[in-house]
Amino acid sequence: MTDTELKSLLDAEAERINTPAFIADDPVQFPRRFVRQEDIEIAALLSAIIAWGNRKMICRDADRILDIMGDHPADFVRDGAYEDLDPDMNLHRTFFVRNFQHLLRGLRAIYRKYPNLDAFSASIRAGETDFPAWNLVGAMNEIIADANGGLRDSRALPQNLKTTALKRINMALRWLVRDDGIVDMGIWKSIPQSKLFIPLDVHVGNTARELGLITRKANDRTATEQLTAKLREWRPDDPTFYDFALFGIGMKL
C-alpha cells in the first residue's frame, strides 16, 4: 500500500469512527458528564488512568469511582473526602483506594494553588516543549510525591518517563485538548493539539505494525514518538485524529 493509499484509508476510517455515536461505549463519556472544567479534567484523568483491560469493565469501574466521589470530583478532591475510604478497597484490577488516595493528595495540592490542571500545565509551560505529556507528568509526579511524604506510586501515574508510552495520559490529553467538537472536548488551551501524541496500547501498536507505520516491537515511548511523527506528516496540526482510525481498523483485524 502506498503512502497515499494508506493516508486515504486512515482518513476514511477516522471519519467513520469519530462521531457522537462513539461516545456511549468509550471512557470519554465520563468527563463529558460534567460542565465545570475542574470536574471534567479530574474525571478525564481518573477514567484514563484505569483504562486498561476490557472496555466494559473500564466503564463500569469509572462509573463506580465517580459515584464514590458523589459525582462532584473537584469538590471531593478539595475536601479531602478520599481519606475516609478503606485503602484496601479495590477500584479496578490492580488499582486500589490507596493508589487513588495517593493521586488525589497530589491533585489537592495542585488545586490549592491553581484553578485547574490546565492552568498548572500552563505554569510549567508544558505546551511549549516537544513532549508536553511527559513534562506534565514529570511535574505532577513531584507534587504528588511531596504530598505523600516523598513516596511515589506508579499506579497513580507512571514514573519511568524515559521509556513509558504514557498511553493513558496521552488519551486523557486527546480528550482535553483536541477541539473538533465531536468526541473530544478541547477545553485545554495550554497544549496545542499539534503536540499531542498517539495513545499507544497493544491494539494500536499491533494495528500500526500491520499497516507498516512502525516496525519497533515494543509499545514504548520510542514507538509512540515514531508513530506520531509518521502521522504528523499527514496531519501536522492534528496527528491524534488518526487514533480513531487505528482503533477502528484494529477492531476489524
Side-chain angles (χ1 to χ4, degrees), residues 101-122:
Q101 291 167 327
H102 188 97
L103 173 68
L104 297 195
R105 289 181 191 119
L107 290 183
R108 188 185 190 200
I110 292 173
Y111 280 105
R112 280 176 167 171
K113 189 173 181 181
Y114 301 93
N116 50 61
L117 288 177
D118 190 30
F120 171 70
S121 173

Side-chain angles (χ1 to χ4, degrees), residues 19-93:
T19 66
F22 178 83
I23 296 167
D25 296 320
D26 191 81
V28 74
Q29 67 182 277
F30 298 105
R32 292 184 67 92
R33 288 180 179 178
F34 300 99
V35 175
R36 289 194 304 174
Q37 177 154 330
E38 315 95 284
D39 291 327
I40 293 170
E41 57 193 18
I42 292 171
L45 185 61
L46 288 169
S47 300
I49 282 174
I50 67 163
W52 82 95
N54 180 275
R55 285 176 91 212
K56 286 187 177 179
M57 182 187 296
I58 293 165
C59 290
R60 179 200 71 192
D61 292 344
D63 190 50
R64 187 159 63 97
I65 289 171
L66 291 176
D67 184 61
I68 288 170
M69 301 177 88
D71 286 318
H72 294 92
D75 293 342
F76 185 86
V77 170
R78 289 190 175 109
D79 294 344
Y82 47 83
E83 299 292 2
D84 296 331
L85 301 175
D86 176 1
D88 293 325
M89 183 171 68
N90 181 255
L91 295 176
H92 177 74
R93 301 187 75 177

Side-chain angles (χ1 to χ4, degrees), residues 150-235:
L151 296 177
R152 294 175 182 267
D153 182 357
S154 61
R155 291 295 178 197
L157 286 176
Q159 303 295 315
N160 55 332
L161 298 183
K162 290 184 178 179
T163 58
T164 179
L166 274 188
K167 174 257 177 176
R168 285 167 276 175
I169 302 306
N170 280 316
M171 182 170 68
L173 288 180
R174 198 205 80 203
W175 297 342
L176 293 169
V177 173
R178 280 197 76 250
D179 61 356
D180 66 359
I182 303 174
V183 172
D184 300 321
M185 293 165 286
I187 63 167
W188 272 29
K189 305 306 176 189
S190 64
I191 298 173
Q193 66 180 21
S194 61
K195 290 190 174 183
L196 294 178
F197 283 78
I198 287 288
L200 181 65
D201 62 11
V202 172
H203 302 294
V204 168
N206 289 341
T207 302
R209 292 182 195 93
E210 287 280 343
L211 296 172
L213 292 167
I214 54 172
T215 56
R216 187 174 178 82
K217 293 181 180 179
N219 294 318
D220 58 6
R221 176 172 176 171
T222 299
T224 302
E225 291 177 14
Q226 290 175 350
L227 175 56
T228 306
K230 178 62 181 177
L231 299 174
R232 278 202 184 106
E233 293 177 11
W234 294 330
R235 206 174 178 101

